Amino acid sequence: MKRSKTMELGVGLFMLAGILGLLFLGLRVSGLTFTAPSDTFQLEANFANIGSLKPRARVTMSGVTVGRVTAIELDTEWYDARVILELDAELEGQLPRDTTASILTAGLLGEQYIGLSVGGDPEMLAAGDTIRDTQSAIVLEELIQQFVSNMVND
Amino acid sequence: MIDSPFVEVEDLRFSRGEKTIFSGVELRIPRGRITAILGPSGTGKTTLLKLIGGQLLPDAGRVLIAGQDVHALSRKALFSLRRRMGMLFQSGALFSDLSVFENVAFPLRVHTDLPQTMIRDLVLMKLQAVGLRGARELMPAELSGGMARRVALARAIALDPDLVLYDEPFVGQDPISKGVLVQLIKKLNEALGLTSIVVSHDIQETLSIADYVYVIADGRVMAHGTPGSLDIDDDPRVSQFVHGEPDGPVPFHYPAPDYFRDILNLEGRP
Amino acid sequence: MIGRIVRLGRSGCDVLEALGRASLFLAQSAVGIPSREGCYLWLRQMHFVGVLSLAIVLVSGLFIGMVLALQGYTILVDFGAEQALGQMVSLSLLRELSPVVAALLFAGRAGSALTAEIGLMKATEQLTSMEMIGVDPLRRIVAPRLWAGFVALPMLTIGFSVIGIYGGYLVGVEWLGVFEGSYWSSMQANVDFFDDVGNGMVKSLVFALVVTWIAVYQGYDLVPTSEGISRATTRTVVYASLAVLGLDFVLTAVMFGGFS
């Protein structure tokens, strides 16, 4: 049977475009990176209330993204939330022991993320350590409640 | 006259919905001859061919081809039996996306592992037989109706079948193509030793080549015999059909109330 | 009263019977032995249903991405969140609009053409003559079309997403002045490859199967007259569109509805 070269070429280009498109969606759109796990290290942080923090939320330092949240689970010993952070490897051994982790909100209604701010402790955090100094999420309803009850008391 | 029959149809019954098409058809098709099945339009002649080819299941009865019960075969055995059958369809039924050459080559390609050059030789031989070797590059849409039917005939005999079924081969053809097809069917039958079944309502053309004739009407075989003996048959339906009389037992008028009363609208119908 | 119940039961039986026939049809045609010949037939159908549908799908994708960006911008800017435009455009496209709109366009462009083509083959006795030659038309005619549709629609969906995101970029960044970096970074931070791109692809595969199945079945099962073909073509578009939208709800509920 005769094969039409232009048709084969057309289908080939079509399939190639599909595969390239998928690569584009993977790399450019969903930020999928093929970095080895050794390029990051993990820290833990316990929060009394994480608000609406979600896995894959950003972890920033002075506004620069330095990692992301990989998991959130309930710590049944203390009944608070344990958040696992994955940070860039270059920060390993660079963060002082009294680093503060706080849950911040991007804009008034934006999503929540974790901001790290360094302290002055000479000892540094190693992989797997827990950040002691944490600041929980600000829950808007609680703030309003406090505000209203203060008004009533006054 | 009749040596061992190649195709036997025994007490075939078939109905489509409420409508009974066949109520006990008996046929014995002799080997190596041309058998014609005649009948008015709408008597289910094409349906009969489909039943013989195993494309439809009868309600009762059997169809034996070379001793094999067509409807009791497995799908695989049926398909391999069909390789020994060729069928010429009313419309030609050429594959519209393949050229004339590829259409004739199609059965060879799917059923044999012949090398390319041999397929070419065989296809050209078949096309030469139907006189269309020069048209092999054309697409089916570029052919006239008669040419399409001749190509379809070449395709039907591509695998050198034992049995060829012709479904209304002469319908809608001008006298020249009719003559050509009549000659072709006769010549091919003699040259290849085929058993042919021709279903038709073109009496003159069919009778001129048939060795044996069955007339079917009302879901039954009304008459059968050699072309010479058929005219004598005293069944009024058969004689009306064979002589082509416009009115008779097969009425000219579709059933309707009395003409006079209907015109005056005495029954208050629209 | 009893007559109505009987009629209800009869139509129920009819629906079940049709479903059964269609399933049997799918099962018989999907199992084709891959061969050189089959590969070639598949390639031809890929050209027919895939490459020839590319233009309409890409143009629609570009416009839908542009409209999404325009609409999204006017809402997001009220919250001062126009930086999240990239996230909005990409998630809407990947999760929902690309699979659904591409499938609807595919049903209209390729599905109706498949129905009409197979229907015409049936009306001109090509399918019957193929059977008489001893070749199963399910394998030869239906299977390559089914598989081509199954591969082509996900490819078209990917193209739709990519060009839609680019359309959103054109309107959002080039025209409305959203910062380019935040268009891409809000996308990258919030789109997950497996959850969003992957689930969109799963949707698209399901739609591809259903749309192509409906199209070839309607073609194979139609009444072989001119009227039958035109009716079946209409039915293909209507049934396929309804099936896509209905299944989309079910799949969305399973994937993103938090049931898992």
Side-chain angles (χ1 to χ4, degrees):
Chain A
M1 203 168 277
K2 266 184 284 177
R3 284 175 179 237
S4 149
K5 279 274 172 269
T6 45
M7 193 188 77
E8 283 181 343
L9 186 70
V11 175
L13 286 177
F14 174 63
M15 310 249 329
L16 197 68
I19 292 162
L20 285 180
L22 195 64
L23 270 178
F24 173 84
L25 290 184
L27 300 179
R28 188 77 205 250
V29 175
S30 54
L32 197 70
T33 44
F34 298 107
T35 44
S38 60
D39 284 345
T40 58
F41 74 105
Q42 284 193 338
L43 287 181
E44 289 176 14
N46 282 35
F47 293 90
N49 189 337
I50 57 160
S52 60
L53 188 76
K54 299 225 169 53
R56 295 197 296 117
R58 284 181 300 149
V59 179
T60 64
M61 188 175 247
S62 318
V64 180
T65 304
V66 294
R68 52 174 59 203
V69 173
T70 50
I72 297 170
E73 56 202 28
L74 187 68
D75 186 338
T76 44
E77 200 180 331
W78 297 98
Y79 290 100
D80 57 8
R82 181 164 57 222
V83 176
I84 317 279
L85 312 175
E86 203 172 69
L87 302 179
D88 290 350
E90 59 190 41
L91 289 177
E92 191 169 1
Q94 303 290 318
L95 296 174
R97 196 156 275 283
D98 59 351
T99 296
T100 323
S102 33
I103 296 178
L104 305 171
T105 309
L108 190 58
L109 299 165
E111 57 163 10
Q112 290 188 304
Y113 64 99
I114 290 184
L116 298 179
S117 45
V118 288
D121 201 304
E123 274 186 71
M124 298 298 161
L125 287 167
D129 281 355
T130 305
I131 298 175
R132 303 259 169 238
D133 196 358
T134 60
Q135 216 171 58
S136 288
I138 298 167
V139 179
L140 207 58
E141 292 89 324
E142 286 177 4
L143 274 184
I144 294 168
Q145 209 170 21
Q146 270 176 13
F147 179 71
V148 171
S149 57
N150 283 347
M151 290 254 290
V152 173
N153 289 346
D154 283 348
Chain B
M1 170 73 220
I2 297 178
D3 33 348
S4 71
F6 188 65
V7 180
E8 275 180 281
V9 176
E10 294 173 356
D11 191 32
L12 192 72
R13 285 162 200 278
F14 184 75
S15 55
R16 195 166 266 154
E18 304 286 298
K19 200 178 160 214
T20 305
I21 302 197
F22 296 120
S23 47
V25 170
E26 305 262 353
L27 301 173
R28 292 162 71 82
I29 312 285
R31 189 186 298 270
R33 303 294 167 100
I34 300 176
T35 304
I37 298 174
L38 296 173
S41 306
T43 45
K45 299 188 298 294
T46 306
T47 310
L48 183 60
L49 284 190
K50 284 192 172 169
L51 283 162
I52 293 175
Q55 288 176 328
L56 294 173
L57 269 183
D59 299 338
R62 294 199 301 169
V63 175
L64 299 175
I65 296 180
Q68 289 178 286
D69 184 348
V70 173
H71 300 105
L73 292 175
S74 69
R75 196 175 166 81
K76 214 178 154 189
L78 179 64
F79 273 75
S80 74
L81 177 67
R82 283 187 185 154
R83 284 177 212 179
R84 297 169 57 195
M85 295 157 77
M87 184 158 175
L88 183 69
F89 287 85
Q90 214 169 40
S91 57
L94 296 175
F95 302 131
S96 46
D97 53 343
L98 300 178
S99 68
V100 166
F101 182 92
E102 287 300 330
N103 259 288
V104 181
F106 183 82
L108 295 167
R109 288 196 203 280
V110 294
H111 287 315
T112 65
D113 291 322
L114 295 175
Q116 195 62 33
T117 52
M118 199 179 239
I119 287 183
R120 191 186 123 88
D121 292 348
L122 281 170
V123 171
L124 292 187
M125 275 164 60
K126 306 293 174 191
L127 281 174
Q128 174 73 15
V130 299
L132 289 175
R133 189 165 45 82
R136 63 175 177 268
E137 300 297 332
L138 298 182
M139 295 305 281
E142 301 168 282
L143 301 175
S144 72
M147 282 158 81
R149 225 164 281 187
R150 276 147 73 191
V151 174
L153 184 55
R155 187 181 65 184
I157 57 168
L159 283 172
D160 291 323
D162 300 326
L163 173 69
V164 180
L165 311 173
Y166 299 91
D167 184 8
E168 301 279 11
F170 312 116
V171 86
Q173 300 293 312
D174 63 59
I176 301 176
S177 349
K178 267 189 199 175
V180 168
L181 283 164
V182 167
Q183 282 307 309
L184 271 177
I185 293 173
K186 191 158 181 61
K187 267 194 200 156
L188 287 173
N189 200 69
E190 282 165 4
L192 302 174
L194 299 171
T195 304
S196 304
I197 302 179
V198 182
V199 151
S200 181
H201 54 237
D202 290 277
I203 303 148
Q204 296 313 319
E205 288 78 8
T206 313
L207 290 186
S208 69
I209 52 169
D211 296 309
Y212 203 78
V213 181
Y214 282 91
V215 178
I216 290 187
D218 283 348
R220 230 186 302 268
V221 174
M222 282 295 177
H224 60 96
T226 55
S229 69
L230 200 67
D231 271 355
I232 312 161
D233 214 303
D234 52 10
D235 188 294
R237 286 171 167 279
V238 176
S239 94
Q240 185 198 350
F241 179 68
V242 171
H243 297 298
E245 291 153 3
D247 208 355
V250 178
F252 170 70
H253 290 289
Y254 192 81
D258 183 64
Y259 188 44
F260 179 70
R261 291 173 62 83
D262 208 8
I263 282 283
L264 296 178
N265 205 4
L266 296 175
E267 281 158 30
R269 299 199 342 172
Chain C
M1 184 64 204
I2 288 175
R4 278 197 194 149
I5 295 174
V6 167
R7 240 174 304 165
L8 182 73
R10 188 182 300 154
S11 57
C13 287
D14 285 350
V15 168
L16 277 182
E17 198 192 321
L19 269 179
R21 258 186 308 161
S23 311
L24 212 64
F25 168 84
L26 180 68
Q28 279 175 352
S29 39
V31 288
I33 307 141
S35 60
R36 248 181 81 85
E37 185 72 23
C39 238
Y40 173 72
L41 291 170
W42 175 81
L43 193 78
R44 237 164 63 153
Q45 293 309 319
M46 275 297 284
H47 177 77
F48 186 63
V49 300
V51 179
L52 297 184
S53 310
L54 198 58
I56 181 179
V57 166
L58 290 188
V59 171
S60 316
L62 186 67
F63 279 117
I64 287 200
M66 284 160 69
V67 168
L68 266 181
L70 207 52
Q71 292 279 17
Y73 182 81
T74 52
I75 293 171
L76 289 174
V77 83
D78 286 348
F79 301 101
E82 69 270 21
Q83 307 306 322
L85 189 66
Q87 173 192 356
M88 205 212 82
V89 169
S90 60
L91 284 184
S92 322
L93 280 171
L94 290 171
R95 287 183 179 176
E96 199 60 52
L97 284 167
S98 296
V100 171
V101 178
L104 293 179
L105 291 170
F106 185 78
R109 167 69 183 74
S112 58
L114 281 179
T115 305
E117 195 197 10
I118 295 181
L120 207 62
M121 284 186 181
K122 185 173 181 182
T124 54
E125 298 181 301
Q126 291 184 44
L127 297 182
T128 327
S129 79
M130 190 167 278
E131 247 179 64
M132 284 304 295
I133 289 172
V135 175
D136 190 347
L138 289 182
R139 294 265 171 86
R140 175 92 193 180
I141 301 286
V142 174
R145 285 167 174 77
L146 203 61
W147 285 112
F150 190 65
V151 178
L153 181 51
M155 294 272 168
L156 292 171
T157 304
I158 293 170
F160 192 100
S161 296
V162 171
I163 201 141
I165 287 169
Y166 179 69
Y169 168 86
L170 279 184
V171 168
V173 177
E174 302 285 339
W175 182 23
L176 298 172
V178 174
F179 178 56
E180 183 184 351
S182 48
Y183 184 81
W184 294 115
S185 69
S186 70
M187 209 180 280
Q188 287 177 4
N190 291 291
V191 176
D192 184 77
F193 185 72
F194 295 103
D195 282 354
D196 299 320
V197 182
N199 276 344
M201 283 295 103
V202 171
K203 271 189 181 182
S204 185
L205 282 171
V206 173
F207 296 161
L209 182 69
V210 169
V211 171
T212 328
W213 179 22
I214 289 176
V216 291
Y217 180 70
Q218 288 295 343
Y220 197 78
D221 201 47
L222 55 70
V223 184
T225 58
S226 330
E227 197 198 3
I229 293 174
S230 77
R231 272 167 191 248
T233 313
T234 313
R235 267 205 307 271
T236 292
V237 177
V238 172
Y239 289 177
S241 307
L242 286 179
V244 164
L245 295 172
L247 273 174
D248 183 51
F249 175 73
V250 175
L251 287 173
T252 308
V254 171
M255 287 169 176
F256 305 109
F259 296 130
S260 50

